[in-house]
Amino acid sequence: MAVNFLMHDKVWFDKFKYDDAERKYYEHMNG
Amino acid sequence: QTLYTYPENWRAFKALIAAQYSGAKIKVLSTPPQFHFGQTNKTPEFLKKFPVGKVPAFEGDDGFCVFESNAIAHYVGNDELRGSTKEAAAQIIQWVSFADSDIVPPASTWVFPTLGIMHYNKQATEYAKEEVKRILGVLDSHLKTRTFLVGERVTLADITVVCTLLWLYKQVLEPSFRQPYDNVNRWFVTCINQPQFKAVLGEVKLCEKMAQFDA
Amino acid sequence: QTLYTYPENWRAFKALIAAQYSGAKIKVLSTPPQFHFGQTNKTPEFLKKFPVGKVPAFEGDDGFCVFESNAIAHYVGNDELRGSTKEAAAQIIQWVSFADSDIVPPASTWVFPTLGIMHYNKQATEYAKEEVKRILGVLDSHLKTRTFLVGERVTLADITVVCTLLWLYKQVLEPSFRQPYDNVNRWFVTCINQPQFKAVLGEVKLCEKMAQFDA
């Protein structure tokens, strides 16, 4: 089934964790 | 001109819809024996043309090769789709980047478990749902006063964001969830009913019941 | 023309280097009282211009507003940087997409713990190191026969990939790790020594000792 190919899709599932950490770090640096 | 991909690849749809607007003729190779995902894209001759081995991958009849779906859609499109002014071109890139950076991760986190291609994680899914609400809110206020995302006609911005939202609208955005975002719903339905979108996507059935994870 | 960002933001460097090539004059607002990251970008007037509230964000003197770093770099650049043919433009977008999709995730995973931004995770870091080796390998074979990524001169592809690799080269790519990729090293050093890059990045000191995570 075509859906199974989707599992090979390259997705950064943890992106939100990194975005959040980066935002907090620079907010803190500029605090 | 040839597009290598696996079947039903939403990233490939972007280029195919762009080609419908520009009139570019593209042959899609997506099933054996012409193309066997996981094998053909690992062969030396494929990697020589496309060193990262990813699909979709495009080969022009002049031998010009390019990978990355946004690059392919840009190449097979036309100036209208790419943005005819500096401002329009920049705003189109803005929405294309927004789709890749802000929509793809939460959309995949929410949808993949409902397709049974990834384990369900309650916390991640709940977070993804909130992210999707944020994204739809941004698009909804932008589309309050606009028919399309950039300028007065369909561009690569609409094609890219529609294709990126496709699985969400088909799989989990049930009427009660999408109800607050009627500008986005109007825009999405307008786009998928354009003949150039329909030629590639066929009939898109909007989700009626939010799919749960497929244990 | 104004660029809102926090200081030392590699995503903002892309637009500032592009502006060095095009001659666009950009005022950077990155510190209080003009711009306070975490506060200014959450105010209603900022969100009215930039609904996603992310930086870098750009406002032209004609009031034209655009967010997403690739869109800003495209807007403040010039045709030379954007690619003067359809093929060059597509290949530039290919490398810009490759940087965002294939370089940013492992680079962040490896570098963030060494800056104290994220907790260290041994397995994730080891995987990221392997991904960085794969990426450098792809770039190295592409640059074996080329001075720059697309065509014979600096384009947005070089500017974007250099800025995306910046933290890796400064923080963790010690000589023994980067030794196998001498085409990439040559290209990277050539770019950062261009006056337009140096005007923005200053002196870039390549990593001598791989930084370990900062507990």
Side-chain angles (χ1 to χ4, degrees), chain A residues 30-31, chain C residues 5 7 29-37 39-40:
Chain A
N30 292 278
Chain C
T5 178
L29 299 187
S30 59
T31 50
Q34 292 92 345
F35 180 78
H36 190 154
F37 181 59
Q39 295 185 17
T40 315

Side-chain angles (χ1 to χ4, degrees), chain A residues 1-17 19-20, chain B residues 6-8 10-11 37 54 101-102 104-105 108-109 112 115 117-118 127 167:
Chain A
M1 225 296 238
V3 154
N4 292 333
F5 289 116
L6 208 52
M7 74 170 70
H8 302 286
D9 205 27
K10 191 177 190 67
V11 179
W12 192 13
F13 290 100
D14 285 345
K15 183 172 185 296
F16 71 96
K17 289 179 192 160
D19 287 351
D20 230 26
Chain B
Y6 52 71
E8 295 302 299
W10 66 270
R11 293 178 196 271
F37 181 68
K54 290 203 290 191
S101 67
D102 286 51
V104 170
S108 310
T109 302
F112 281 22
L115 298 172
I117 58 177
M118 194 168 95
Y127 186 88
W167 273 111

Side-chain angles (χ1 to χ4, degrees), chain B residues 135-162:
Chain B
I135 289 149
L136 292 175
V138 166
L139 290 171
D140 198 69
S141 53
H142 182 76
L143 287 163
K144 201 185 295 301
T145 57
R146 293 176 177 86
T147 305
F148 296 109
L149 287 172
V150 178
E152 296 310 321
R153 309 195 31 192
V154 165
T155 65
L156 286 171
D158 305 290
I159 293 171
T160 302
V161 179
V162 162

